[in-house]
């Protein structure tokens, strides 16, 4: 029955059937063979599940290309080998957390067992916890590394894990590629030390929860405002994820007394039964929260993803309707609020900084320039922001930062995007606006009036399979060979190529170098076009999906609040002209 499998796939199937694997796994494989399900069999075994620069992610199930005890075990054994080699002669420890997904607790315990079997001390959270708390725990406990078992906001059939280093940030160069090399050396299930040593595994919970909550609470810049606006009407949903463990607790610790949880989504559940996708970037995932917010006439609605590193938020607009703010808008509002608060408190000395990714709105750069605060731009991925924080530790003070994909960070005690701390600061800045008789949306419009109305849109083109991958490569090659001279009627004045690390001035034809080794920057397949009228387009093939993404940013002055709707319509039309001009439909 397996004759239609190619030789390498067949070899992997045979290895599992004949190797030291458990009986249930072998029965599952035999069932696929007996039922003639060649498609599923092929997808499960045609390759080894890739351990990428951030860790593992894949569909749950039996096989070399699935998330299971053997693929997770091989990855963890390789990581154990690397950690032991990287810290010779030291007492090594790691911290482990997991989210609410199917098999997450089991994988977390498995990973703990393997680390302990390799002579490594393990701090294992006793139950599910948010990703940012894992980052905090690494620093709090002085660990050399850490793991969080999660597949972020992927569909229910996925799981994975992310690897962190001793600074609390996700692994970056040179460790990322060196870990991949070690993992690739684990070629047999017999190489994996499955038998844990219980004395090396310590359960943790409140001893990390309490100091983490205190640190988040210390981010508050206007506690008196919170006292006056303690009754701020907040609706929150964890979308069946880990946020339920800490978001209500943090809001309560800050003094907010009128927080309503979406009960249908309050219980952690890896099947995410009330949503198609547990992604707060999608309105559908927040619909139950919006319904409750309308019913209760709430001031603010917030939703966190399953591992609570991203947050979506909405507030009533000037028409009285709930409007969800996108990642660029919320990142900008957080930085706008913090810059003003730091200035009012006399804390801006010229040695403060903000960090964001190159595809995130330039409104943040503009505001930082106005306040004399450095703004560092990194490649896409919060690990690069964490790298900047690490490099500048003791030299400059981090205020906050973020990325357009709904991830933000306030303060440096966590080194990854933090939806718990973000919910706290979003509630505070909403309270601050209300204290002045305004709404969060009023604050957004005031920010645009002061700095320009920046509007961003993401165009994501899906190109599946081998032909799709080739088409994406060709699109990037064509843009490099023939960059547009103008876009939507405005001349292109700069082209940044992060693959070659070069910057082109089209008016002179001269190129300069984007410094290699600059904080948060390394060669990456990203192109950016800047036009005379302030439009910016970033082209970036996805590293995890069969997609090419185009980030479009346009800007116009906002003369008054009354002009908001007309200006918004102009900006949307401008984005559509860009899309038409570059054939991105």
């Amino acid at each position: 029955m397996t004759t239609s499998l190619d030789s390498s796939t067949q070899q992997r199937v045979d290895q599992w059937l004949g190797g030291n694997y458990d009986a249930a796994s072998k029965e599952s494989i035999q069932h696929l063979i007996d039922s003639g399900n060649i498609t599923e069999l092929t997808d499960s075994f045609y390759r080894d599940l890739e351990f990428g620069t951030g860790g593992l992610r894949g569909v749950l199930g039996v096989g070399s290309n699935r998330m299971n005890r053997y693929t997770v075990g091989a990855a963890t054994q390789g990581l154990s080998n690397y950690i032991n080699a990287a810290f010779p002669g030291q007492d090594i420890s790691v911290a482990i957390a997991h989210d609410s997904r199917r098999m997450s607790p089991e994988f977390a315990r498995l990973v703990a067992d393997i680390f302990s079997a390799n002579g490594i001390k393990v701090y294992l959270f006793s139950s599910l916890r948010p990703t940012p708390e894992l980052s905090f725990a690494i620093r709090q406990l002085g660990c050399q590394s850490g793991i969080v078992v999660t597949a972020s906001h992927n569909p229910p059939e996925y799981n994975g894990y992310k690897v962190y280093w001793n600074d609390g940030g996700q692994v970056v160069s040179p460790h990322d590629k060196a870990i991949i090399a070690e993992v690739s050396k684990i070629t047999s299930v017999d190489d994996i030390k499955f038998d844990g040593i219980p004395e090396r595994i310590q359960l943790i919970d409140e001893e990390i929860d309490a100091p983490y909550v205190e640190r988040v609470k210390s981010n508050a810049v206007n506690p008196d405002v919170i006292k006056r606006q303690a009754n701020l009407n907040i609706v929150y949903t964890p979308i069946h994820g880990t946020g339920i463990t800490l978001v209500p607790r943090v809001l309560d610790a800050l003094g907010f007394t009128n927080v309503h949880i979406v009960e249908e989504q309050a219980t952690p559940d890896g099947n995410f039964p009330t949503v198609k996708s547990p992604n707060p970037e999608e309105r559908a995932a927040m619909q139950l929260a919006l319904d409750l917010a309308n019913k209760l006439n709430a001031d603010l609605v917030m939703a966190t993803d399953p591992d609570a590193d991203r947050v979506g938020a909405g507030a009533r607009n000037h028409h009285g309707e709930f409007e969800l703010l996108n990642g660029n808008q919320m990142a900008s509002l957080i930085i706008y609020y913090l810059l003003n608060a730091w200035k009012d408190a006399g804390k801006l000395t010229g040695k403060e900084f903000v960090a964001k990714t190159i595809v995130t709105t330039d409104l943040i750069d503009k505001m930082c320039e106005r306040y004399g605060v450095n703004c560092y731009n990194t490649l896409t991925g919060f690990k690069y922001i964490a790298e900047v924080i690490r490099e500048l530790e003791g030299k400059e003070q981090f205020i906050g930062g973020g990325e357009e994909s709904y991830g933000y960070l306030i303060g440096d005690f966590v080194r990854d995007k933090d939806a718990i701390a973000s919910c706290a600061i979003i509630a505070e800045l909403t309270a601050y606006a209300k204290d002045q008789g305004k709404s969060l949306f009023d604050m957004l419009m005031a920010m645009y009036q002061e700095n320009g109305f920046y509007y961003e849109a993401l165009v994501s083109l899906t190109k599946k399979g081998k032909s799709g991958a080739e088409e994406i490569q060709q699109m990037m090659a064509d843009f490099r060979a023939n960059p547009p001279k103008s876009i939507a009627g405005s001349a292109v004045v700069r082209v940044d190529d992060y693959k070659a690390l070069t910057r082109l001035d089209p008016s002179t034809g001269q190129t300069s170098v984007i410094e290699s080794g600059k904080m948060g920057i390394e060669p990456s397949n990203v192109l950016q076009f800047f036009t005379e009228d302030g439009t910016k387009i970033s082209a970036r093939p996805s590293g995890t999906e069969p997609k090419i993404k185009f980030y479009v940013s346009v800007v116009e002055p906002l003369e008054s609040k009354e002009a908001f709707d007309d200006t918004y319509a102009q900006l949307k039309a401008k984005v559509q002209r860009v899309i038409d001009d570059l054939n991105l439909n």
Side-chain angles (χ1 to χ4, degrees), residues 299-302 313-317 323 325 330 333-334 337 425-434 438-447:
D299 299 301
L300 173 68
V301 59
M302 297 186 290
R316 293 193 184 280
N317 62 21
E323 185 157 333
L325 304 183
M330 187 50 73
L333 270 175
I334 290 170
Y337 177 69
I425 204 74
I426 292 167
E428 181 184 335
L429 63 90
T430 306
Y432 181 83
K434 192 169 186 180
K438 299 174 182 175
S439 70
L440 188 63
F441 208 82
D442 289 328
M443 186 185 285
L444 182 78
M445 291 192 287
M447 176 179 69

Side-chain angles (χ1 to χ4, degrees), residues 22 111 189-190 234 278 319 322 366 379 397 407 438-439 448 491 535:
D22 67 278
V111 170
V189 66
D190 299 320
I234 300 169
H319 299 300
F322 258 102
K366 184 169 184 180
L379 293 178
Q397 188 173 3
K438 299 174 182 175
S439 70
Y448 286 152
T535 296

Side-chain angles (χ1 to χ4, degrees), residues 22-57:
D22 67 278
S25 293
K26 292 181 180 182
E27 284 171 19
S28 296
I29 298 166
Q30 195 60 50
H31 176 71
L32 290 174
I33 295 170
D34 294 343
S35 63
N37 195 342
I38 300 301
T39 302
E40 179 65 21
L41 196 62
T42 300
D43 199 41
S44 299
F45 284 96
Y46 82 95
R47 64 172 188 171
D48 292 327
L49 185 64
E50 183 183 3
F51 189 95
T53 54
L56 280 180
R57 188 171 296 185

Side-chain angles (χ1 to χ4, degrees), residues 350-380:
K351 289 193 172 183
E352 292 74 33
F353 76 99
V354 163
K356 70 176 190 68
T357 64
I358 58 174
V359 298
T360 301
T361 179
D362 289 346
L363 170 56
I364 294 174
D365 301 75
K366 184 169 184 180
M367 291 190 294
C368 287
E369 190 178 346
R370 282 185 60 196
Y371 285 84
V373 170
N374 289 324
C375 183
Y376 295 98
N377 282 268
T378 75
L379 293 178
T380 305

Side-chain angles (χ1 to χ4, degrees), residues 135-170:
S135 172
F136 175 79
I138 291 169
R139 296 169 57 76
Q140 184 79 356
L141 296 166
C143 296
Q144 280 68 37
S145 182
I147 298 285
V148 59
V149 179
T150 180
S152 190
H153 51 268
N154 273 51
E157 62 269 23
Y158 282 83
N159 213 326
Y161 76 39
K162 294 192 280 194
V163 182
Y164 291 77
W165 208 238
N166 59 359
D167 65 332
Q170 288 187 56

Side-chain angles (χ1 to χ4, degrees), residues 129-429:
R129 287 297 188 283
T131 286
E133 191 179 5
L134 182 276
S135 172
F136 175 79
I138 291 169
R139 296 169 57 76
Q140 184 79 356
L141 296 166
C143 296
Q144 280 68 37
S145 182
I147 298 285
V148 59
V149 179
T150 180
S152 190
H153 51 268
N154 273 51
E157 62 269 23
Y158 282 83
N159 213 326
Y161 76 39
K162 294 192 280 194
V163 182
Y164 291 77
W165 208 238
N166 59 359
D167 65 332
Q170 288 187 56
V171 287
V172 293
S173 184
H175 301 298
D176 51 3
K177 293 176 181 63
I179 292 168
I180 291 170
E182 282 298 324
V183 171
S184 67
K185 293 177 186 175
I186 309 300
T187 56
S188 167
V189 66
D190 299 320
D191 295 336
I192 306 167
K193 298 176 182 176
F194 283 112
D195 296 326
I197 300 173
E199 305 82 66
R200 290 196 182 126
I201 301 173
Q202 180 180 330
L203 295 182
I204 53 172
D205 37 51
E206 186 58 23
E207 65 267 42
I208 303 299
D209 295 344
Y212 172 75
V213 169
E214 282 305 307
R215 290 303 299 269
V216 172
K217 192 178 170 185
S218 73
N219 280 337
V221 287
N222 282 301
D224 290 344
V225 166
I226 296 174
K227 280 181 187 172
R228 290 195 294 272
Q229 298 297 332
N231 200 40
L232 186 77
N233 196 343
I234 300 169
V235 166
Y236 166 70
T237 175
I239 319 181
H240 306 290
T242 61
I244 192 66
T245 62
L246 284 175
V247 171
R249 177 172 172 175
V250 160
L251 293 175
D252 180 66
L254 283 166
F256 291 106
T257 59
N258 193 16
V259 179
H260 307 273
I261 312 295
V262 178
E263 289 302 327
E264 302 96 315
Q265 297 176 326
T267 303
D269 187 338
N271 294 309
F272 310 113
T274 62
V275 293
K276 282 186 179 177
S277 170
N279 185 357
E281 294 182 55
E282 298 172 9
R283 187 180 183 92
M286 293 187 66
Q287 195 56 55
L288 286 174
L290 288 167
D291 292 345
L292 183 60
N294 277 313
K295 181 180 172 184
L296 299 174
N297 195 29
D299 299 301
L300 173 68
V301 59
M302 297 186 290
T304 52
D305 68 345
D307 67 323
D309 62 354
R310 300 169 193 249
V311 58
R316 293 193 184 280
N317 62 21
H318 51 305
H319 299 300
E321 303 158 343
F322 258 102
E323 185 157 333
L324 296 179
L325 304 183
N326 66 37
N328 283 299
Q329 290 173 318
M330 187 50 73
S332 299
L333 270 175
I334 290 170
I335 297 304
Y336 175 67
Y337 177 69
L338 291 173
L339 288 173
N340 278 303
W342 280 56
K343 181 189 172 204
D344 291 346
K347 289 168 64 179
L348 293 182
T349 67
K351 289 193 172 183
E352 292 74 33
F353 76 99
V354 163
K356 70 176 190 68
T357 64
I358 58 174
V359 298
T360 301
T361 179
D362 289 346
L363 170 56
I364 294 174
D365 301 75
K366 184 169 184 180
M367 291 190 294
C368 287
E369 190 178 346
R370 282 185 60 196
Y371 285 84
V373 170
N374 289 324
C375 183
Y376 295 98
N377 282 268
T378 75
L379 293 178
T380 305
F382 230 89
K383 63 182 182 180
Y384 295 111
I385 292 177
E387 185 181 15
V388 170
I389 296 170
R390 187 184 71 240
E391 292 290 328
L392 292 175
E393 207 158 9
K395 302 170 194 169
E396 296 182 28
Q397 188 173 3
F398 179 65
I399 293 176
E403 57 185 6
E404 47 71 42
S405 56
Y406 292 61
Y408 324 109
L409 179 62
I410 303 93
D412 65 359
F413 54 90
V414 165
R415 300 297 171 89
D416 202 353
K417 46 190 180 283
D418 185 347
I420 312 299
S422 298
C423 283
I425 204 74
I426 292 167
E428 181 184 335
L429 63 90

Side-chain angles (χ1 to χ4, degrees), residues 5-13 15-16 21 39-52 55-59 61-68 71 158 543-546:
L5 299 177
D6 65 55
S7 59
S8 63
T9 304
Q10 183 69 60
Q11 189 177 355
R12 288 191 185 90
V13 171
Q15 184 183 4
W16 278 58
Y21 296 82
T39 302
E40 179 65 21
L41 196 62
T42 300
D43 199 41
S44 299
F45 284 96
Y46 82 95
R47 64 172 188 171
D48 292 327
L49 185 64
E50 183 183 3
F51 189 95
L56 280 180
R57 188 171 296 185
V59 174
V62 68
S64 61
N65 188 39
R66 294 286 187 258
M67 281 288 292
N68 51 62
T71 53
Y158 282 83
T544 55
E545 301 171 289

